[in-house]
């Protein structure tokens, strides 16, 4: 997004509970937040995220993936719904669909994702379980730009949590989510302020290449 857009238009895509969406809604509702959530899109008609959006008076749309025969058609409809709202930023907040190359290319540099692991560790699913199985002491969350590389686009920021004796995947998920709810609004704000950009595969922060991801410790 060019740094001179005055009030960036944000679309949030979610599939489920929407706790990250809620954290973003709360952040954006602060008077000085430099952007607006103009719509929330879901691929599941019963996602609680839709209720959260409605509660906040935000427009919603559903593109139900079960109604499409293939990924291309689903992504085509999703892209059309996004395009007609002309967003400056698309935020994936627990959006559990793999996006086609065509979709990702069309929105290069305009899509952020949050993933519940310290990427490049544990792309894909069951990240908390896998971190516990591996005997890791540290786990966490990553915010990154979305590229064709699944869960592998350039990282902007990470936050870590300590894995403690007795942690279960569920407990770890809770701890990671607490960090997610802090980290995602910070990164979205940077983007809306025009401080964060993607050039090719390089993250720029304040116009300079970001040498390493921002790191938040709990
Ligand atoms: C979050 O923990 C997010 O990191 C994860 O889904 C959860 C959604 O929670 N995303 C992924 O696994 C993406 N690969 P929420 O619906 O309560 O925000």
């Amino acid at each position: 997004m060019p740094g001179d857009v005055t009030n960036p238009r944000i679309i949030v895509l979610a599939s489920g509970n929407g706790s990250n969406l809620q954290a973003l809604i709360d952040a954006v509702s602060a008077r000085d937040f430099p952007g607006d959530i103009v719509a929330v899109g879901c691929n599941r008609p019963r996602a609680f995220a839709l209720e959260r959006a409605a509660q906040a008076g935000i427009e919603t749309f559903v593109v139900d993936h079960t109604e499409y025969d293939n990924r291309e058609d689903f992504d085509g409809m999703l892209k059309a719904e996004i395009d007609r709202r002309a967003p400056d930023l698309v935020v994936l907040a627990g959006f559990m669909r793999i996006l086609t190359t065509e979709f990702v290319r069309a929105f290069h540099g305009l899509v952020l994702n949050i993933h519940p692991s310290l990427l490049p560790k544990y792309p894909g699913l069951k990240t908390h379980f896998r971190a516990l199985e591996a005997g890791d002491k540290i786990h966490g969350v990553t915010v990154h730009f979305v590229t064709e590389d699944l869960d592998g686009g350039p990282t902007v920021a990470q936050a870590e949590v300590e894995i403690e004796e007795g942690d279960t995947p569920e407990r770890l998920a809770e701890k990671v989510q607490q960090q997610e709810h802090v980290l995602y609004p910070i990164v979205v704000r940077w983007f809306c302020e025009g401080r964060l950009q993607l050039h090719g595969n390089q993250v720029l922060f304040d116009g300079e290449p970001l040498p390493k991801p921002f790191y938040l410790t709990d």
Side-chain angles (χ1 to χ4, degrees):
M1 186 194 71
D4 57 2
V5 173
T6 43
N7 217 27
R9 297 168 59 79
I10 305 165
I11 288 183
V12 180
L13 299 181
S15 296
N17 177 30
S19 69
N20 278 284
L21 166 66
Q22 190 65 57
L24 291 166
I25 289 172
D26 294 346
V28 167
S29 69
R31 209 148 36 111
D32 66 338
F33 196 93
D36 278 327
I37 300 176
V38 294
V40 169
C42 282
N43 62 305
R44 294 186 186 278
R46 291 171 184 273
F48 188 59
L50 291 168
E51 284 186 38
R52 294 185 191 265
Q55 201 76 43
I58 299 169
E59 187 205 352
T60 61
F61 63 90
V62 174
V63 184
D64 183 346
H65 65 279
T66 65
E67 292 175 2
Y68 294 82
D69 290 337
N70 57 60
R71 234 177 251 292
E72 288 69 26
D73 290 353
F74 168 78
D75 276 16
M77 183 52 79
L78 185 64
K79 182 174 180 307
E81 290 287 354
I82 292 172
D83 278 344
R84 66 192 188 84
R85 294 173 173 88
D88 301 295
L89 172 65
V90 177
V91 176
L92 307 186
F95 187 64
M96 305 305 278
R97 299 294 301 168
I98 295 172
L99 297 163
T100 55
T101 300
E102 203 181 359
F103 180 98
V104 170
R105 282 194 186 152
F107 294 110
H108 184 82
L110 303 180
V111 186
L112 290 170
N113 183 42
I114 193 158
H115 182 79
S117 76
L118 295 172
L119 291 170
K121 273 191 160 184
Y122 315 126
L125 301 173
K126 297 193 172 170
T127 58
H128 312 304
F129 175 80
R130 287 155 71 200
L132 284 170
E133 281 278 298
D136 290 357
K137 297 280 173 260
I138 299 293
H139 184 47
V141 53
T142 302
V143 176
H144 64 95
F145 277 104
V146 173
T147 62
E148 291 152 50
D149 198 1
L150 178 68
D151 292 335
T155 295
V156 177
Q158 295 184 313
E160 65 174 32
V161 301
E162 212 177 306
I163 298 184
E164 292 158 304
E165 192 72 33
D167 272 351
T168 59
E170 294 71 28
R171 173 70 192 126
L172 207 44
E174 278 172 27
K175 293 201 294 191
V176 167
Q177 284 221 329
Q178 280 175 13
Q179 293 294 305
E180 293 186 350
H181 301 160
V182 176
L183 191 65
Y184 220 2
I186 292 174
V187 175
V188 169
R189 173 184 273 272
W190 284 337
F191 189 97
C192 289
E193 288 171 340
R195 304 186 72 183
L196 187 65
Q197 287 162 321
L198 186 67
H199 275 202
N201 247 7
Q202 174 69 59
V203 178
L204 299 184
F205 192 77
D206 288 344
E208 299 290 334
L210 189 66
K212 55 182 176 45
F214 288 98
Y215 211 71
L216 222 75
T217 50
D218 63 350

